[in-house]
Every structure is written in C-alpha cells, then in structure tokens.
Amino acid sequence: GAVVSQHPSRVICKSGTSVKIECRSLDFQATTMFWYRQFPKQSLMLMATSNEGSKATYEQGVEKDKFLINHASLTLSTLTVTSAHPEDSSFYICSAREVRGVNTEAFFGQGTRLTVV
Amino acid sequence: DAKTTQPPSMDCAEGRAANLPCNHSTISGNEYVYWYRQIHSQGPQYIIHGLKNNETNEMASLIITEDRKSSTLILPHATLRDTAVYYCIVRVNTGGFKTIFGAGTRLFVKA
C-alpha cells in the first residue's frame, strides 16, 4: 500500500516553545491530509482536514491558532503546535488520500509522540 | 456518518479465528463499512472495506448482513501480532470523506 511518513516520531519540548510535525506522502500525491490526536487508551480524535493550496478545515473545539496547518504541496502537510503546554502532550497522527480516483483510501502515518515538559 | 457500536474488548486464542462484531443500524445506502486496526503506539492500518457484498483479502474477511445493519470482521487464524484495537467505521466513499474513529474493540490474542 501507499506510504505516509511522519517526522519526528518522538519529540520532547519545553513549555512555551513551538513544535512542527511533518506528514509526507512518499509515493503518491495527496490533495487531502487529515490530522488526529490521541490520548492514552482513547480513540483518535480528528483535529482538521488539510487541503493542498487552501486553508485547513478544523473540527469543532480545535483551536486553529494553536494548531497551525500548512499543506503547501501535494506531498507535504505540516502541523505546528504553537506555544506548547503540557496538556498538548499527545500522540499526533496524520493520514493522506491519493489524488487519483474518487474511491481512494487514506493511509496513515506512524504517528508522532509529543511530550511537553 | 453513521455511528457504530463495538464491544470494548475481546479475547481470542492464538491460531483460532477472531470474529469481531460491529453494529451500524443507521447506515445509509451510500456508506461503506471500513475496518482499521491500531497496534500500540502506531498509526492505524487499513484492513478491509465493503458496501454490501462479503469481502476477503490477505488479512481478513468482512461479512456484512443482508440488511447492512451489522458486520463481522474475521481474522481466520489469529496470531499474537494481531493484538490491537480494531475500529469499525462507516462512511461515504466519495467527495471529501473523512474517517471518524469510535472507541473500537481491543482484541487480545493469547497463546
């Protein structure tokens, strides 16, 4: 299947700093990417839908100024957690869907574990 | 997207078939049934999907009832590596579809 790569896989940062997470589709072009976060022993929560060349669509309750999403190319979307605080510590996962066809599956990255200290 | 209901956890003996049920009584005619799994600290992995016919691939089989209100994912010979959280999701398959995850079923495969 298609490959979606996230980087970094783990990051520890100090409170108040910003962290950027990259999501790349390695062997296909993705017009749409999705960002999720997951707390321990809980399900994935969709944060936003990222569309190439346009603004992201955020789910209700997700602060767009806190979680900045950029989807500048068909193979790369980035999520920046701004002014991170310990409560932002979580597992962040992206997924990407191919451009071709209408019934194309979305593939998931391996996730990024963010710890804010 | 229609809501799904899954048991929170299940056990299965290694080598036996694991049958994971999912109820989706409010599914619409254009919604597909998707199954994913998530092994601890990894991203979700697509398993299989179907509309109304039963489907089989190298990983699993998907049995959808005739009224489409429920389905069962079958792992024919479960291994310890199949221990994971399994998510049943129903959604449309065209346009700007997005995948919304429920609580899933935590499957424990035991030796």
Side-chain angles (χ1 to χ4, degrees):
Chain A
V3 178
V4 174
S5 176
Q6 266 184 258
H7 178 80
S9 58
R10 288 178 177 270
V11 59
I12 300 173
C13 72
K14 291 184 178 180
S15 187
T17 62
S18 295
V19 175
K20 180 183 285 188
I21 302 170
E22 294 187 346
C23 179
R24 293 181 183 273
S25 55
L26 297 185
D27 53 0
F28 66 98
Q29 293 183 320
T31 50
T32 306
M33 292 186 174
F34 304 92
W35 287 95
Y36 297 82
R37 68 184 297 184
Q38 185 176 33
F39 293 105
K41 296 189 177 181
Q42 294 187 23
S43 188
L44 289 82
M45 181 193 79
L46 180 65
M47 298 175 66
T49 302
S50 170
N51 298 298
E52 186 267 337
S54 64
K55 291 183 179 180
T57 303
Y58 289 82
E59 296 298 305
Q60 191 173 10
V62 178
E63 299 177 61
K64 61 180 180 180
D65 295 330
K66 173 76 172 177
F67 300 99
L68 300 179
I69 292 172
N70 183 278
H71 193 160
S73 78
L74 285 171
T75 59
L76 174 65
S77 175
T78 60
L79 168 69
T80 301
V81 182
T82 63
S83 187
H85 289 95
E87 58 265 30
D88 298 324
S89 297
S90 190
F91 192 51
Y92 293 86
I93 304 167
C94 73
S95 71
R97 186 155 57 97
E98 281 191 76
V99 173
R100 289 195 305 272
V102 293
N103 296 332
T104 54
E105 182 49 54
F107 298 93
F108 289 82
Q110 67 269 43
T112 297
R113 186 162 301 283
L114 170 64
T115 303
V116 184
V117 298
Chain B
D1 292 337
K3 183 179 177 181
T4 63
T5 303
Q6 298 177 254
S9 66
M10 290 182 64
D11 290 346
C12 178
E14 188 179 21
R16 304 296 295 268
N19 298 292
L20 293 92
C22 179
N23 287 324
H24 31 79
S25 59
T26 60
I27 191 171
S28 301
N30 64 342
E31 288 182 314
Y32 286 69
V33 180
Y34 278 80
W35 283 84
Y36 296 83
R37 73 179 182 184
Q38 186 180 23
I39 295 170
H40 181 63
S41 293
Q42 297 182 24
Q45 177 189 22
Y46 164 81
I47 300 173
I48 199 167
H49 76 282
L51 183 62
K52 52 184 178 181
N53 296 323
N54 297 337
E55 302 287 345
T56 295
N57 62 21
E58 64 278 4
M59 289 183 67
S61 294
L62 174 60
I63 308 298
I64 302 174
T65 58
E66 194 169 340
D67 63 7
R68 300 209 323 124
K69 293 185 177 182
S70 65
S71 61
T72 301
L73 178 75
I74 301 173
L75 307 179
H77 305 287
T79 70
L80 298 179
R81 287 177 296 180
D82 292 322
T83 293
V85 179
Y86 287 77
Y87 296 99
C88 168
I89 293 159
V90 292
R91 62 156 202 242
V92 295
N93 205 24
T94 59
F97 68 79
K98 52 188 177 183
T99 303
I100 306 297
F101 289 83
T105 295
R106 191 170 294 271
L107 176 68
F108 296 94
V109 180
K110 300 182 177 180

